[in-house]
Amino acid sequence: MSVFASKSFDDHEQVVFCNDEDTGLRAIIAVHSTTLGPAVGGCRMWHYDSSDDALEDVLRLSRGMSYKNALAGLNLGGGKSVIIGDSRTLKTPDLMRAFGRFVDRLGGTYITAEDMGMTTDDMDYIHESTDYVTGLTEGKAASGDPSPFTAHGVFAGIQAAVEHKLGSNDLKGVRVAIQGVGHVGQNLARELSEAGAEVIVTDVHEDNVRLVCESTGATSVPVDEIIMQNVDVFAPCAMGAILNDSSIDRLKASIIAGSANNQLAEERHDQCLFERGILYAPDFVINAGGMMSVANEIAGISVSPEQGHVNVEVIGAMLSEIFTSSDNNGHATGAVANALAEAKIKTAKNKDEASSQAA
Ligand code: NAD
């Protein structure tokens, strides 16, 4: 498929296809925008059905990063990378180092980090080939795994959504279904259980489900039943495109608030949710906690884990404003968030153009 003809192409600045014969690495790096700063976004390792699917994913994810970083007030652009393959069977330290060499060749235009299928160890291997990697375990301002910060931001977002929709931010007795209990989902399940919520989980990996149920008291359901659980909140914390024509009809939750990127299969599903009275916390707003954490590492600012957790709680307030604006203006929440992010990027672009004309 041609990049330019792809339905997810959105004036991306650069798309790089990476192939390393020795390690079998096949990856794609997409730089969507560097208007606000270097393009930062995680690397995902996933067993895509085809390279076209991987291309679509990285194009959408990188655009989402531009919006996420802009709305979170970070001086960072948007980029993302995907490695094609099963992370449980195909990942090796050499593969990670090879990926790092491709990131290095971009000279800092793109800075990578952890996403699905990746760990902090992987970031350390990548670091052996490049400095353009964040979420490290050692070094100046190393911030480690961003997932607990992402999860805490999602927790704050769920509180804000529950307050807006149900009238109180007390999560005691609130029922939450979490789809995917990997790095983010596990931390989220723990926080929700500690706050007294009733948590139901699922995952394609049975070991992840067992771990979470044993440690938090959550209950589990089969993978294909999570969407229709009779809950207050559905928290997608796995793959994207989960909010589509078929799933929206089956949803019983009145709130959608989770960490997964690109939850809407198509932009129009934002409006479908709005019309059905389902409060959707836009994914790139609610899942910005991890980026807020790694942004400090990129800036060389050391932040304690405690302070890092407090910092991401601002996500609750950001969402409350979006929910209120949606109510007042009659626009779906995703559309409200998109407009805010686009305005920030446009303002920065206009400033850049004005200063280069003045020079
Ligand atoms: P992860 O790989 O650690 O966990 C994802 C989990 O989802 C895995 O346990 C996997 O088995 C499970 N899963 C996959 N497909 C599933 C399905 N169909 N049904 C149920 N479970 C399924 O990834 P993560 O880091 O926890 O990220 C989860 C989501 O949040 C991703 O969409 C990611 O892009 C997004 N996100 C993560 C971060 C972060 O800090 N890690 C930040 C922002 C956004």
Side-chain angles (χ1 to χ4, degrees), residues 14 17 23 28 47 57 81 105 117 143 147 169 171 186 191 219 229 241 248 259 275 278 292 298 307 312 349 351:
Q14 196 172 7
F17 291 82
T23 58
I28 312 175
H47 45 91
D57 206 26
S81 50
R105 282 190 207 163
S143 59
S147 311
N169 73 358
L171 297 184
Q186 286 173 18
E191 286 209 43
T219 54
Q229 290 305 301
I248 290 174
S259 74
E275 284 168 10
I278 298 172
M292 292 177 174
I298 293 168
Q307 186 57 47
V312 304
K349 205 170 197 158
K351 242 191 218 162

Side-chain angles (χ1 to χ4, degrees), residues 44 115-117 147 150 182-184 203-205 208 237-238 259-261:
R44 166 176 293 190
D115 192 59
M116 269 180 89
S147 311
T150 303
H183 288 90
V184 178
D203 198 290
V204 288
H205 292 300
N208 284 357
C237 295
S259 74
N261 281 305

Side-chain angles (χ1 to χ4, degrees), residues 33-41 64-78 134 284-285 287-299 301 311-312 314-315 318 341 344-345 348:
S33 166
T34 54
T35 301
L36 290 170
V40 185
M65 290 309 300
S66 296
Y67 282 38
K68 181 187 310 195
N69 294 340
L71 213 53
L74 306 173
N75 290 325
L76 299 172
T134 183
F284 67 83
V285 184
N287 71 12
M291 269 310 301
M292 292 177 174
S293 169
V294 298
N296 285 320
E297 179 174 334
I298 293 168
I301 302 165
N311 291 349
V312 304
V314 68
I315 288 171
M318 284 161 59
K344 284 205 175 201
I345 296 169

Side-chain angles (χ1 to χ4, degrees), residues 4-286:
F4 300 121
S6 160
K7 67 177 188 307
S8 302
F9 180 70
D10 178 55
D11 278 327
H12 288 69
E13 292 178 13
Q14 196 172 7
V15 180
V16 181
F17 291 82
C18 316
N19 181 55
D20 181 68
E21 202 183 348
D22 290 345
T23 58
L25 172 79
R26 289 233 161 134
I28 312 175
I29 302 171
V31 172
H32 175 254
S33 166
T34 54
T35 301
L36 290 170
V40 185
C43 174
R44 166 176 293 190
M45 186 161 181
W46 189 254
H47 45 91
Y48 293 98
D49 289 339
S50 67
S51 48
D52 283 355
D53 286 356
L55 176 63
E56 285 293 339
D57 206 26
V58 78
L59 291 176
R60 283 194 77 193
L61 287 165
S62 55
R63 173 182 183 259
M65 290 309 300
S66 296
Y67 282 38
K68 181 187 310 195
N69 294 340
L71 213 53
L74 306 173
N75 290 325
L76 299 172
K80 201 88 181 183
S81 50
V82 295
I83 297 177
I84 301 168
D86 187 338
S87 64
R88 290 202 170 201
T89 53
L90 295 177
K91 200 174 5 163
T92 62
D94 276 346
L95 190 101
M96 294 294 105
R97 292 182 192 108
F99 174 69
R101 288 194 290 278
F102 282 101
V103 172
D104 201 60
R105 282 190 207 163
L106 291 174
T109 301
Y110 169 65
I111 300 174
T112 197
E114 194 179 321
D115 192 59
M116 269 180 89
M118 301 292 273
T119 66
T120 47
D121 284 350
D122 299 327
M123 297 306 117
D124 291 340
Y125 291 128
I126 292 169
H127 191 214
E128 290 176 25
S129 308
T130 185
D131 284 336
Y132 303 121
V133 53
T134 183
L136 299 171
T137 54
E138 281 178 13
K140 187 166 184 268
S143 59
D145 181 4
S147 311
F149 302 101
T150 303
H152 193 59
V154 173
F155 178 81
I158 289 177
Q159 278 184 314
V162 166
E163 180 161 27
H164 193 84
K165 191 81 184 167
L166 308 178
S168 157
N169 73 358
D170 186 356
L171 297 184
K172 205 157 191 246
V174 170
R175 289 160 300 159
V176 186
I178 305 180
Q179 180 184 47
V181 277
H183 288 90
V184 178
Q186 286 173 18
N187 283 291
L188 180 62
R190 180 183 40 76
E191 286 209 43
L192 288 169
S193 298
E194 284 168 6
E198 278 178 40
V199 181
I200 301 169
V201 302
T202 198
D203 198 290
V204 288
H205 292 300
E206 195 45 48
D207 47 346
N208 284 357
V209 171
R210 206 174 316 114
L211 184 83
V212 168
C213 291
E214 281 171 13
S215 62
T216 67
T219 54
S220 68
V221 292
V223 165
D224 55 0
E225 287 179 18
I226 196 78
I227 198 91
M228 68 270 264
Q229 290 305 301
N230 193 11
V231 291
D232 303 295
V233 183
F234 173 55
C237 295
M239 287 299 279
I242 184 61
L243 304 172
N244 50 49
D245 291 334
S246 121
S247 68
I248 290 174
D249 278 347
R250 285 178 293 145
L251 269 174
K252 296 206 177 86
S254 59
I255 294 168
I256 295 168
S259 74
N261 281 305
N262 293 343
Q263 292 171 26
L264 302 166
E266 294 171 44
E267 297 266 351
R268 67 184 173 84
H269 292 117
D270 180 32
Q271 184 65 23
C272 295
L273 293 167
F274 183 65
E275 284 168 10
R276 281 201 48 189
I278 298 172
L279 185 65
Y280 165 60
D283 47 15
F284 67 83
V285 184
I286 194 168

